[in-house]
Structure formats: structure tokens, C-alpha cells
Amino acid sequence: MAMGLAPLAWAQDCTTTEYIVPSPLYPTIQAAIDAAPHGAFVCVGPGHHLPFDLAGKNVHGFAAIGSTFTFIDATGTGQSAVRCASGEGSGAILEDFTITGGDVDAGGGMYVAGSSPTIRNCLFTGNHAELGGGAYCS
């Protein structure tokens, strides 16, 4: 955990990282990804989180208490919940999230192009798209 942050009740599983969302330093998943170096762990607390772009980062994003309580939610944004189109490799890992609310032409839940992320134990639900409601991969 980053120095100076008050302990978060759900953060017991976040001991492997200083990139904890939400926190004063990283209020969004995107803020943590942007700050994190390749190979970092991004621990995400329960709640509904805004869509994000992995932006070429091979980071391991995981939900501290699992997909039942941790949502990447694109409802009303007109974008994919997760975007992975900057050459991310298998080291770009998403684990234990519910990915929902995406409503776009391609890749409602997740848009993947020219990348090969690793997705573990994620639930895709309530996403819509012409091509790949849950995920579009090319």
C-alpha cells in the first residue's frame, strides 16, 4: 500500500502493490494504469468503476474481493468497458471482474485489437455491440 494512505477494510488482498483503486492517489483504474510500470499489480476495490484503456501496459489488474462486488461499468458512456488495442501481451491480465454496460459498434464489454491480454475469472454481462457484445478480438 502506498505510504500515507489509511488502511482500507477490503485491501487485505492488496499487499502486493501500491496501486490501489480507489485511493487518494489513484481514484480510477485508468489513473493507476497510467502511473504503473509494466508488470505492476493494480488492486481494485469493490464498486462500479469507469471504463479504461490498458494503453500498452502489461499490468495485472485484479479485484480485491472478486467479480460479485467489483464492476467495470461502461453504462451510459458509449464505449467499451475495457479497451486493449496498443500491443499488450499476455502480461496484461484482468482477473475477477464483472465487465458490463458497454454499448458500441465492436466489443461492448472488451475491445481487443492487435493485443493478446489474459482474462481470468471475469464475467461479461449486459454488454451490446454489432460485433462481439461481450468481447471483440481481432
Side-chain angles (χ1 to χ4, degrees), residues 57-122:
K57 295 280 186 92
N58 287 321
V59 297
H60 183 160
F62 66 98
I65 61 172
S67 63
T68 301
F69 303 102
T70 313
F71 302 84
I72 301 167
D73 190 347
T75 301
T77 65
Q79 57 186 316
S80 300
V82 179
R83 186 171 173 81
C84 187
S86 299
E88 297 86 355
S90 61
I93 302 169
L94 293 180
E95 187 169 7
D96 291 328
F97 293 100
T98 292
I99 299 171
T100 190
D103 191 358
V104 294
D105 291 337
M110 186 168 189
Y111 178 84
V112 179
S115 300
S116 56
T118 301
I119 310 302
R120 296 182 186 146
N121 301 319
C122 289

Side-chain angles (χ1 to χ4, degrees), residues 25-40:
L25 289 176
Y26 311 109
T28 66
I29 297 171
Q30 190 68 63
I33 289 169
D34 291 347
H38 289 287

